[in-house]
Amino acid sequence: MASKTKRHLVIPDTQVKPGYDLSHLKWAGRAIEDYRPDTIVHLGDHWDMPSLSSYDKPGSRSKEGSRYRDDIDAGNEGMEILTEPFKGIKGYNPDMIFLTGNPENRIERAIEDDPVRLEGVIGYDDFELCGFRRYDFLEVLQLDGIVYSHYFQAAGTGRAIAGSIDNRLNKIGQSFIQGHQQGMNYGTRVLPTGKIYHGLVAGSFYRHDEAYMGQGNGHWRGLVVLNEVEDGNYDIMPLSISYLEKKYGG
Ligand SMILES: [Fe+2]
């Protein structure tokens, strides 16, 4: 009997900005070429948009347009590097999903803040998605029994659900995958019925250190492959960035 199981490949936050090394994106593309996942999910925070970072603070104004364009171009170049190794492979047409993260969402916030000047001038249309379908910031996506979102919010308060995997599984109520938070945190819960819920937080697929993280830069970085995905259950196979470098970096 043919198997119904799928393979997902998860790309955590890539945080692309001008002038940063993007070779790991090529390694990711090579891994996709090798592993041929049915579904590729990029968890967001790809266009890091430092030119609009002032929009994180209420009441601040935008920076000049040339830096905006540089940020867009850097992310677009990253998308091209990522998809180049597997695009055009005959008979391979993965479902490619991109979840909008909070840095990308700065574009929407900038427009809301200054619609007269920015409406129709900047926008999500500037992203070259290279075959990915974009979902809006915090849109929740159901895929083979797993819910995906950039992060999850608590009902009622809208606050980001945080803490242990067990706590998150309690609040989310089923297998979930999110990015947004550095490193990798994974756990399962087995119900008396034999059903298994998996929780995965994976938020870093980049090589640079973030200045604001200081000693926190030692976190895990990599891709995550999910084998045998069916009805929320799967076998997890992390591919660390150092493993990818060994395999594809030569
Ligand atoms: Fe984020």
Side-chain angles (χ1 to χ4, degrees), residues 13 45 102 150 180:
D13 314 31
D45 288 12
N102 45 301
H150 186 59
H180 187 63

Short mmCIF file of all heavy atoms in Angstrom, two decimals, residues 13 45 102 150 180, ligand 1:
data_model
loop_
_atom_site.label_atom_id
_atom_site.label_comp_id
_atom_site.label_asym_id
_atom_site.label_seq_id
_atom_site.Cartn_x
_atom_site.Cartn_y
_atom_site.Cartn_z
N ASP A 13 13.98 31.35 10.68
CA ASP A 13 14.30 32.76 10.39
C ASP A 13 15.69 32.92 9.77
O ASP A 13 16.68 32.55 10.40
CB ASP A 13 14.22 33.59 11.67
CG ASP A 13 12.96 33.31 12.48
OD1 ASP A 13 12.47 32.16 12.45
OD2 ASP A 13 12.47 34.23 13.16
N ASP A 45 10.75 36.17 8.88
CA ASP A 45 11.96 36.93 9.26
C ASP A 45 13.07 36.66 8.24
O ASP A 45 14.20 36.32 8.63
CB ASP A 45 12.45 36.58 10.68
CG ASP A 45 11.56 37.14 11.78
OD1 ASP A 45 10.45 37.61 11.46
OD2 ASP A 45 11.98 37.11 12.94
N ASN A 102 7.70 39.38 11.75
CA ASN A 102 7.53 40.75 12.25
C ASN A 102 8.41 41.78 11.54
O ASN A 102 7.96 42.91 11.31
CB ASN A 102 7.68 40.83 13.78
CG ASN A 102 8.85 40.05 14.29
OD1 ASN A 102 8.92 38.84 14.08
ND2 ASN A 102 9.78 40.71 14.96
N HIS A 150 4.32 32.20 12.48
CA HIS A 150 5.60 32.81 12.88
C HIS A 150 5.76 32.71 14.40
O HIS A 150 6.81 32.37 14.91
CB HIS A 150 5.69 34.25 12.40
CG HIS A 150 7.03 34.86 12.66
ND1 HIS A 150 8.20 34.34 12.17
CD2 HIS A 150 7.41 35.93 13.42
CE1 HIS A 150 9.23 35.06 12.59
NE2 HIS A 150 8.78 36.02 13.36
N HIS A 180 10.74 32.69 15.09
CA HIS A 180 10.76 33.94 15.87
C HIS A 180 11.72 33.93 17.05
O HIS A 180 12.25 34.97 17.41
CB HIS A 180 9.35 34.30 16.33
CG HIS A 180 9.25 35.64 17.00
ND1 HIS A 180 9.52 36.81 16.33
CD2 HIS A 180 8.93 35.99 18.27
CE1 HIS A 180 9.35 37.83 17.17
NE2 HIS A 180 9.01 37.37 18.35
FE FE B 1 10.22 37.22 14.37
#
